[in-house]
Amino acid sequence: MTFRERVYQITARIPKGKVATYGQIAKLAGSPQAARAVGMYMKINPFAPRVPCHRVVATDGKLTGFSAPGGIAKKKRMLMDEGVRFIGEKVDRSCFWDVS
């Protein structure tokens, strides 16, 4: 399985109401330094919505890049509709996916 395939497989497992970081996905996929590559794969995700790329955020909880129409505002609405809570413009840390 390629790194890209692992990234999409892991992203597909992020539960509703939770988010993961680009770095977390990279680490779980076996390349901890490849967070930017994960971001690129989310940008070109051909499997949405089965692979919920909107559930991937920056390490600090900030919403970054979302190529679907509506951009970041749409990403935030989608996450809120799934039960993700925000503190200001950042995802509440309690909504981060714990894969341990």
Side-chain angles (χ1 to χ4, degrees), residues 69-100:
I72 297 293
K74 167 114 183 193
K75 183 173 183 170
K76 185 174 183 179
R77 279 193 309 277
M78 290 172 73
L79 290 171
M80 290 176 72
D81 287 347
E82 294 180 350
V84 172
R85 293 177 306 282
F86 285 80
I87 298 174
E89 293 302 312
K90 295 182 179 179
V91 173
D92 183 330
R93 299 291 298 171
S94 69
C95 295
F96 279 56
W97 186 31
D98 181 12
V99 294
S100 57

Side-chain angles (χ1 to χ4, degrees), residues 3 5 7 11 25 28 31 40-41 44 63 68 73-75 78 89 91 94 96:
F3 176 71
E5 290 168 334
V7 164
T11 303
I25 301 292
L28 290 169
S31 294
M40 180 56 84
Y41 296 148
I44 62 171
L63 301 185
K74 167 114 183 193
K75 183 173 183 170
M78 290 172 73
E89 293 302 312
V91 173
S94 69
F96 279 56

Side-chain angles (χ1 to χ4, degrees), residues 23-66:
Q24 182 181 20
I25 301 292
K27 183 177 179 183
L28 290 169
S31 294
Q33 301 300 316
R36 287 183 183 214
V38 171
M40 180 56 84
Y41 296 148
M42 295 302 104
K43 182 178 180 179
I44 62 171
N45 176 13
F47 306 111
R50 188 173 53 86
V51 173
C53 52
H54 67 284
R55 295 181 190 153
V56 184
V57 301
T59 301
D60 65 357
K62 186 175 179 183
L63 301 185
T64 58
F66 191 60

